[in-house]
């Protein structure tokens, strides 16, 4: 998962321990390694920290923050198509000393500038310092899968993967934002750019926030907009062509997300979405994938039997754990620490429980969150079963 943190300040004498304290607040995101970086930033100072969860290239060559020539990056996430981009960069004469996607980000920036982000297929939140141009870029992926918070007070800018890192910085206060409370009661979460705390922002998805070292001027721009796809002309493809293309995309997505130097698992709930992901991953993987399910005694909430049937049908290595009310209640005190902000989604409890279960066997787990939205399924107007999943998951769909 990894975590990043950092600050820009014009206050002299800031202790070196501060950036270590901020990144230590993110140890749960990256228990494998940690690193810090300091630099002169115009008339101010820049500090960046990183906590690493090693997934690709487990060696020390993946240590962050990573510097090459005039570029330094602290990065949380994965660039799934980094091998493809790396091949193009090799043809341009760049040489690599690691097998990481982090190094690909650096050389992509050197080759194509900050717009290189448009080439990335992945989920990411990153801080990129260009010493030559004297600018720090904070960048978030297209749909905001990876979190990135930031705050400004006077001539200081603070950023990090979680709120708990920012509040370690002197002067950053935990004052509740009334507007955020109103939005939370309406939506069940606090939407960007607000957070539950006044003065702390969430960087919007698909956004580049650039900070100039000359005057700490901030420029914020959006580099991608999903509405462009909705405004595009409709296709005239047949239903069969659409199904085949969706099948290709799902298989490609699963293959890319299975690329790791550590074991990868799947959260299996028993519904269409997670069953499709599990079925496709099982079909393209070289060995049985590991699936994980949380069960409950109350049949109104228990999907474990369906998940187990699907796991047996497609042949995954399945693990299930039945929890009772006390297991969920015992987790409640930790919810605030885990989520940082209010979240009106009761599924956060079983998600935390199944994550804890999966961590005993794997380092990375895939979920199918967003699957219902992608296929347009809802309670009021369900799609036909033959249209719910692509060709790669048709057998599972029929089974369901």
């Amino acid at each position: 998962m990894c975590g990043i943190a950092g600050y820009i300040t014009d206050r002299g004498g800031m202790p070196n321990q501060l950036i270590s304290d901020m990144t230590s607040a993110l140890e749960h995101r990256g228990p494998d390694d940690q690193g810090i970086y300091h630099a002169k930033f115009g008339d101010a100072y820049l500090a960046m920290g990183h906590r690493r969860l090693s997934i690709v290239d487990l060696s020390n060559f993946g240590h962050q923050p990573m510097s090459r020539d005039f570029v330094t990056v602290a990065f949380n996430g994965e660039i799934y198509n980094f091998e493809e981009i790396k091949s193009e960069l090799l043809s341009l004469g760049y040489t690599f000393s690691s097998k990481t996607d982090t190094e690909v980000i650096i050389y992509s920036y050197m080759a194509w500038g900050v717009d290189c982000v448009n080439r990335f297929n992945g989920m990411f939140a990153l801080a990129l310092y260009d010493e030559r141009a004297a600018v720090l870029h904070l960048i978030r992926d297209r749909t905001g899968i990876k979190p990135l918070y930031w705050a400004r007070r006077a001539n200081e800018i603070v950023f990090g993967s979680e709120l708990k890192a920012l509040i370690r910085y002197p002067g950053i206060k935990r004052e509740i934002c009334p507007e955020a409370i109103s939005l939370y009661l309406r939506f069940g979460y606090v939407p960007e750019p607000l957070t539950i705390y006044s003065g702390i922002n969430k960087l919007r998805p698909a956004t580049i926030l650039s900070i100039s070292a000359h005057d700490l001027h901030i420029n914020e721009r959006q580099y991608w907009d999903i509405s462009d796809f909705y405004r595009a002309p409709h296709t005239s493809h047949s239903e069969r062509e659409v199904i085949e293309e969706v099948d290709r995309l799902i298989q490609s997505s699963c293959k890319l997300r299975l690329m790791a130097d550590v074991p990868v698992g799947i959260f299996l709930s028993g519904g269409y979405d997670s069953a499709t992901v599990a079925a496709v991953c099982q079909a393209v993987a070289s060995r049985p994938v590991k699936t994980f399910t949380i069960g409950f005694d109350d049949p109104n909430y228990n999907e474990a039997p369906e998940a187990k049937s699907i796991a047996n049908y497609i042949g995954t290595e399945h693990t299930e754990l039945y929890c009772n009310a006390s297991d969920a209640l015992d987790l409640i005190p930790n919810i605030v620490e885990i989520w940082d902000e209010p979240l009106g989604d009761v599924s956060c409890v079983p998600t935390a429980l199944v994550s804890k279960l999966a961590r005993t066997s794997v380092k990375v787990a895939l979920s199918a969150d967003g699957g219902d939205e992608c296929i347009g399924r809802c309670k009021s107007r369900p799609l036909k079963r033959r249209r719910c999943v692509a060709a790669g998951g048709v057998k599972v769909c029929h089974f369901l």
Side-chain angles (χ1 to χ4, degrees), residues 266 268 278-279 282 288-291 307 310-318:
I266 299 171
L268 182 58
Q282 177 71 358
V289 299
K290 297 177 183 290
T291 51
I310 292 167
N312 290 337
Y313 184 76
I314 62 179
T316 66
E317 185 179 325
H318 190 59

Side-chain angles (χ1 to χ4, degrees), residues 129-296:
Y129 172 47
D130 181 339
E131 182 180 4
R132 181 180 295 174
V135 62
L136 175 71
H137 300 292
L138 302 180
I139 309 174
R140 197 173 178 199
D141 63 62
R142 290 172 179 80
T143 56
I145 299 173
K146 290 299 183 181
L148 190 55
Y149 297 86
W150 70 281
R152 180 167 192 167
R153 52 187 306 278
N155 288 326
E156 295 178 295
I157 297 168
V158 189
F159 60 90
S161 295
E162 296 184 19
L163 288 173
K164 57 178 65 69
L166 274 72
I167 60 177
R168 295 281 184 98
Y169 192 87
I172 299 295
K173 299 179 181 179
R174 288 182 285 184
E175 296 178 347
I176 299 298
C177 174
E179 185 180 357
I181 291 291
S182 175
L183 290 169
Y184 166 70
L185 294 174
R186 179 179 180 184
F187 298 117
Y189 70 100
V190 181
E192 296 92 350
L194 297 180
T195 69
I196 193 62
Y197 298 138
S198 296
I200 303 181
N201 310 290
K202 282 194 284 279
L203 186 63
R204 291 182 175 91
T207 297
I208 302 172
L209 188 149
S210 302
I211 306 160
S212 170
H214 300 301
D215 53 7
L216 296 190
H217 174 75
I218 292 177
N219 178 60
E220 190 173 355
R221 69 178 178 91
Q222 186 176 0
Y223 65 85
W224 180 85
D225 191 340
I226 194 172
S227 63
D228 292 340
F229 289 88
Y230 290 100
R231 287 193 291 261
H234 291 178
T235 65
S236 57
H237 298 300
S238 67
E239 179 178 330
R240 171 51 53 187
E241 290 173 328
V242 171
I243 290 175
E244 290 176 351
E245 176 63 8
V246 171
D247 179 50
R248 184 192 68 79
L249 290 171
I250 291 178
Q251 290 198 39
S252 173
S253 296
C254 288
K255 286 180 180 178
L256 289 171
R257 283 155 181 79
L258 287 174
M259 288 193 311
D261 296 327
V262 295
V264 178
I266 299 171
F267 296 159
L268 182 58
S269 68
Y272 284 107
D273 42 14
S274 66
T276 301
V277 171
V280 174
C281 286
Q282 177 71 358
V284 302
S286 58
R287 66 185 67 180
V289 299
K290 297 177 183 290
T291 51
F292 302 89
T293 299
I294 291 293
F296 300 95

Side-chain angles (χ1 to χ4, degrees), residues 30 58 75-76 78 82 113 208 232 237 250 263 269 283 293 298 330 345 399:
L58 310 185
F75 163 56
N76 164 219
E78 285 188 80
F82 80 98
I208 302 172
H237 298 300
I250 291 178
S269 68
T293 299
D298 189 336
D330 290 343
D345 183 358
F399 176 77

Side-chain angles (χ1 to χ4, degrees), residues 301-322:
Y301 299 97
N302 187 29
E303 296 182 351
E306 289 86 354
K308 186 173 182 179
S309 296
I310 292 167
N312 290 337
Y313 184 76
I314 62 179
T316 66
E317 185 179 325
H318 190 59
T319 302
E320 64 178 14
L321 176 67
Y322 272 76

Side-chain angles (χ1 to χ4, degrees), residues 78-119:
E78 285 188 80
I79 307 300
Y80 298 122
N81 63 333
F82 80 98
E83 292 283 10
E84 175 186 335
I85 299 172
K86 185 176 182 178
S87 296
E88 187 173 357
L89 290 167
L90 286 169
S91 70
L92 295 176
Y94 291 93
T95 57
F96 293 80
S97 57
S98 76
K99 298 179 180 178
T100 66
D101 47 359
T102 310
E103 195 173 18
V104 170
I105 292 174
I106 292 176
Y107 289 130
S108 295
Y109 177 82
M110 290 181 181
W112 303 300
V114 73
D115 287 333
C116 67
V117 70
N118 292 298
R119 296 172 177 258

Side-chain angles (χ1 to χ4, degrees), residues 10 26 35 40 49 56 61 69 71 109 114 150 178 188 224 268 285 287 292 308 315 336 374:
D10 63 352
L26 306 173
K40 195 78 166 62
V56 177
F61 289 111
D69 198 3
V71 177
Y109 177 82
V114 73
W150 70 281
W224 180 85
L268 182 58
R287 66 185 67 180
F292 302 89
K308 186 173 182 179
V336 174
C374 286

